[in-house]
Amino acid sequence: MTETEDWNDFDTDRATFSLQLSFPRFRSANIDQNQWSDDGFAIRSFITGRNEQPADTDADASVVSEVSENQVVQLGASRDQEPSELDPLIQHSDHQVSYSRSYLGQMGDCFSVGWVTSCMASMNWRPFAPAVVHDQPPDEERPSHGNHPGMNAGYRVTSSEVSIEETRDARLLTHIAVDFINQSKRSGNEADRDQAIKYFRRALYFCPPKDKHRLMYLSNLATALVARFLKRTTYGDVVEAVYYYKEALLLQPDGHPGRERALLNLSITLWLQYAQRGVVQDLNLAIGYHQELLRLRPLGHPERPVSQSWLGNFLLTRFERLGATQDLEDGLNQYREALHHQPLASADKAAALNGLSNGLLSLYEQRGKMADLDEGIDRIKEALLLRPPGDPLRPTSLHNLVAALLARFGQRGNPSDLDEAITFARHSMAESNPGHPFRISDLKVLTNCLTRRFEETGNKEDLEEALSYSREVLELYPEGHIGKAGALSNLAWILFVRFQEQGSRPDLDEAIVLHEKSLSLRGTGHPLRFVSLGGLAIALLTRFEASKKPGDLDEAIILNREVMLIQSESH
């Protein structure tokens, strides 16, 4: 008799993934870049025309020490079998996440490990892993691991009859892994998933290269690694998964019925690897494999539109990195065709609409045509209708919409765009509880919107509300966080504005203290030191005019000289 082990967390009936990366658009050439920085209000209030340039990300990407694929396959599969020679390699690869995060951190809110992972894990991205099929003895003949933790009662032979730590039976090892997976699904205990991967690795290790079941063992292990990666973003897991999916693709040549799904798995796992380490070659390979997949799914194929959305996503990702206009145009075409040729499920349609909107906003930044911006806003609104409150990607769409509305307000000056931006910013914040990863971003966006409207209308309620949110942002940033200096500077500027409106001396004094703290976190050479210098100088000069304290004037002069020096060096 045969038995199918449907072990994995994934929906194996669905061969496609519906998630599309949705870039929060907080940086833009034409959308007042400063308003989206940590010092948005502060920079706009002090100086214009100075935009922070992103660092050379390729240089940081090269810092990542790559683990050779041969090492992964030779030692990774026996990771738990030969700990003495394997552990240093695996520990090394696991720790690369610290370097990859330094790369992603430079890309700001547009692309972060935690954000990407939370989106991936919450959507219908389901790698296909072939079910494990083996000849299986009747229950009374079935080997058992007795009371081994994590095992179910289906195996009824005592542990004395088989040593789990020594067995080389790939079938038994796979059954053990399956039980750990099922236990993990029931308990939510990630340690059970770790044990499953341990046994999947050993099963693959003891599977001969020509074994007819090798494809299944490869897919089982790769899928389990991807599942764990989505939980923990461990660099070593995605490296291993890419290698095993590559071998699985080699076992499914042209004409093989499983090649489509193999291409799908490999292309998206490569994209995840790019998200981790920022190496453009990973992205190029993902695009190449997905283009081949699209050729296998001609017009009329039920999965072609979702594949086109994924390809559009990959192309836009490369455009964001390299700036090639052809990638932008090709990505837009993929999204448009995906939406045009046949109906999509609501989640897939929302993803395609959001991707199309991102492309249109990028096109607006390239050409400056308002028609692109208008259509981009319309497409985001359509996507929002398909992403009700509670949808994990709704916050991203809300952020993008707010940014686009503010850009249009900046071009046309229509107060309704600003009011609408504030409304959607409130919706976003209402849907993020205090512990939500988007909470700080929501607060910063709403603060910037309210200060912008205060500048336009003089509505004191907007200023008070912005002040309250700015204080909350400061409280949410722990000591040592890179955003702390910007939060201090923003709060100081809002207090300074309220002092100008109401004449309350405590507001001015507090603003000076906050500017001093911000400046202390931005040493010589910091790209935003000039903001803290300028803010503190203006506040001190203002206090001197009120109190005639010579020390304030002397310090303001020294600070302004440093600002002028920085400006002269930048030109």
Side-chain angles (χ1 to χ4, degrees), residues 42 67 96 100 114 118 122 132 156 160 202 216 282 290 354 388 395 399 401 443 459 470 474 507 553 563-564:
V67 180
Q96 298 314 310
S100 61
S118 65
S122 63
V132 179
R156 291 193 291 273
S160 62
R202 294 175 68 179
M216 298 176 190
D282 292 334
H290 219 83
N354 203 80
H399 281 245
L401 179 55
L443 288 166
N459 186 338
S470 188
L474 182 60
D507 283 342
L553 179 59
V563 171
M564 293 175 65

Side-chain angles (χ1 to χ4, degrees), residues 305-437:
V306 178
S307 295
Q308 288 185 297
S309 290
W310 268 115
L311 182 55
N313 173 47
F314 294 163
L315 290 165
L316 255 64
T317 302
R318 192 165 67 180
F319 166 76
E320 295 282 348
R321 178 67 184 276
L322 302 179
T325 304
Q326 189 62 50
D327 282 340
L328 174 58
E329 294 174 353
D330 291 345
L332 284 170
N333 289 336
Q334 294 296 333
Y335 283 124
R336 291 191 190 280
E337 289 180 19
L339 290 164
H340 174 72
H341 286 302
Q342 62 191 80
L344 287 166
S346 59
D348 296 333
K349 185 175 182 180
L353 286 167
N354 203 80
L356 176 59
S357 170
N358 285 337
L360 288 164
L361 295 180
S362 295
L363 193 61
Y364 163 71
E365 295 169 15
Q366 290 274 306
R367 309 192 305 188
K369 292 186 177 180
M370 292 303 296
D372 296 328
L373 180 58
D374 292 338
E375 187 184 356
I377 290 173
D378 291 341
R379 297 294 84 78
I380 303 177
K381 288 181 177 179
E382 286 183 54
L384 271 175
L385 294 176
L386 299 172
R387 289 175 170 170
D391 187 296
L393 288 183
R394 180 176 169 85
T396 300
S397 293
L398 286 168
H399 281 245
N400 291 351
L401 179 55
V402 170
L405 287 166
L406 283 175
R408 192 164 70 180
F409 169 75
Q411 291 295 318
R412 293 176 176 161
N414 188 339
S416 65
D417 281 335
L418 182 56
D419 293 341
E420 196 174 5
I422 290 173
T423 297
F424 284 113
R426 291 189 195 281
H427 288 170
S428 182
M429 197 183 71
E431 295 174 23
S432 63
N433 55 46
H436 193 282

Side-chain angles (χ1 to χ4, degrees), residues 242-290:
V242 165
Y243 185 85
Y244 299 136
Y245 277 140
K246 282 182 177 179
E247 185 178 347
L249 182 63
L250 291 175
L251 295 176
Q252 299 171 91
D254 291 342
H256 191 287
R259 187 166 179 84
E260 284 185 37
R261 293 180 176 183
L263 288 165
L264 188 66
N265 283 342
L266 180 53
S267 63
I268 296 184
T269 309
L270 280 164
W271 175 77
L272 285 174
Q273 185 167 272
Y274 167 75
Q276 276 280 282
R277 62 182 189 171
V279 176
V280 175
Q281 180 62 13
D282 292 334
L283 190 54
N284 293 339
L285 288 172
I287 290 171
Y289 286 126
H290 219 83

